Amino acid sequence: MQFTKMHGAGNDYVYIDARHMEKDWPSMSRELSDRHFGIGGDGLILIMDSDQADLRMRMFNADGSEGEMCGNGIRCFAKYAIEREIVARPSDGLTVETLAGIRTVFPIYDSKGVSGARVSMGRPQLSPPDIPVSLDPALASNAGPVLKYPIHPGDFRLYLAFVSMGNPHAVTYIDQPVSEFPLRNIGPLVEGHPMFPRRVNFEIVNHVDSTHLNARVWERGSGETMACGTGACAIAVASRLQGLTEERVDITLPGGTLTIEWDGEGEVYLEGPATEVFTGEW
């Protein structure tokens, strides 16, 4: 089986052209993602046919669970499909079917090919049942948005903002540098908190100024990752709603910087790099 390793700002996945292939993909994702006994990655992404869009993307986390959407992964998905001529070079954006809906990817080219992309990520969902998250009605309304919900994981007291970008996110702002926060200890406690029926992606954020944020992400099913596209979008939405940032904001994660635009009402746009690392045979 031929595979390609790719990453978007360090958020790395194994890519397989699965248009004419059937496998136990959850099991395959666990095997391929293992960084000691496999290829190594945050998960597995499949290129598949679609009757609704140009192509269909399926995404599996490193633990084998299937995710609805991956903002970094979809940029690399477009690079893979265009450079291997699975689709013609799009003049009006590449449409991709995902479990979060159809997303449009606008590739960015350099002299070597696709270097990155701008992605229309859809409208954020802010109502707690849509995220989903179950809240104490005495603390917050189901109408949303909920921007400062108290939670006590371990010895920490955090205030969470809830956003869905087709997958669930909980965003918190901290004063200490994000690099010093014990994310490996606290991340699993937030991800698996009983208030989240489908678990949650957890973002910790430092507010630098109105156009720049620093962040780290604990991803549902994969643990800490170098970057998270949907997570960056959720951070930008939560920050704009709280008056912390402008319409366009750069979010620096351990693997690089992603640029997010949101006008406060419509779709969120994500822009970042797409890099091929190597190809091989499994």
Side-chain angles (χ1 to χ4, degrees):
M1 183 172 65
Q2 301 296 317
F3 71 86
T4 300
K5 176 74 175 288
M6 308 181 82
H7 77 85
N11 193 193
D12 58 339
Y13 292 91
V14 177
Y15 287 76
I16 293 174
D17 182 353
R19 289 176 296 160
H20 309 292
M21 194 183 303
E22 290 293 336
K23 299 284 185 183
D24 179 355
W25 297 119
S27 176
M28 289 295 298
S29 185
R30 289 190 292 271
E31 291 184 46
L32 297 172
S33 300
D34 192 293
R35 296 189 184 275
H36 299 286
F37 300 102
I39 298 164
D42 292 325
L44 171 67
I45 289 181
L46 307 176
I47 291 84
M48 308 188 81
D49 288 324
S50 172
D51 57 6
Q52 303 177 44
D54 292 323
L55 287 170
R56 176 187 177 202
M57 181 179 84
R58 292 188 73 186
M59 174 263 182
F60 293 87
N61 296 304
D63 69 353
S65 59
E66 187 165 6
E68 298 91 345
M69 175 56 184
C70 178
N72 290 319
I74 201 170
R75 297 197 309 275
C76 294
F77 178 99
K79 176 180 175 70
Y80 183 105
I82 292 166
E83 294 186 348
R84 284 159 177 76
E85 298 183 344
I86 295 173
V87 294
R89 181 167 171 164
S91 59
D92 204 20
L94 176 71
T95 57
V96 181
E97 178 189 352
T98 75
L99 288 179
I102 294 176
R103 300 291 183 257
T104 303
V105 185
F106 303 92
I108 297 169
Y109 299 93
D110 63 14
S111 59
K112 297 179 180 179
V114 178
S115 61
R118 176 179 168 87
V119 186
S120 175
M121 297 287 288
R123 292 174 178 263
Q125 298 297 317
L126 302 171
S127 171
D130 294 333
I131 287 167
V133 54
S134 300
L135 304 179
D136 182 341
L139 298 176
S141 165
N142 272 341
V146 178
L147 301 176
K148 293 183 179 180
Y149 190 87
I151 187 175
H152 302 271
D155 296 329
F156 282 79
R157 181 179 179 86
L158 303 174
Y159 293 89
L160 303 181
F162 304 118
V163 180
S164 172
M165 291 303 307
N167 55 356
H169 293 270
V171 180
T172 193
Y173 300 83
I174 60 174
D175 293 326
Q176 72 182 114
V178 291
S179 60
E180 298 177 4
F181 186 85
L183 187 58
R184 293 187 180 182
N185 296 327
I186 303 303
L189 300 180
V190 178
E191 174 191 359
H193 194 286
M195 73 166 61
F196 302 111
R198 297 196 338 238
R199 298 184 291 168
V200 78
N201 301 285
F202 174 51
E203 290 83 25
I204 57 170
V205 184
N206 288 154
H207 177 256
V208 180
D209 56 42
S210 63
T211 62
H212 190 195
L213 304 167
N214 293 332
R216 287 169 66 198
V217 181
W218 182 269
E219 286 202 55
R220 176 186 59 165
S222 292
E224 184 174 5
T225 57
M226 297 290 284
C228 177
T230 56
C233 293
I235 291 168
V237 168
S239 300
R240 182 83 193 276
L241 288 172
Q242 296 182 65
L244 299 175
T245 53
E246 299 175 13
E247 182 171 328
R248 181 182 175 94
V249 60
D250 290 331
I251 299 177
T252 298
L253 299 122
T257 298
L258 302 173
T259 300
I260 315 297
E261 289 185 36
W262 186 52
D263 63 6
E265 296 180 0
E267 293 199 39
V268 179
Y269 290 88
L270 161 69
E271 185 174 319
T275 304
E276 181 171 324
V277 185
F278 62 88
T279 62
E281 183 176 82
W282 174 264

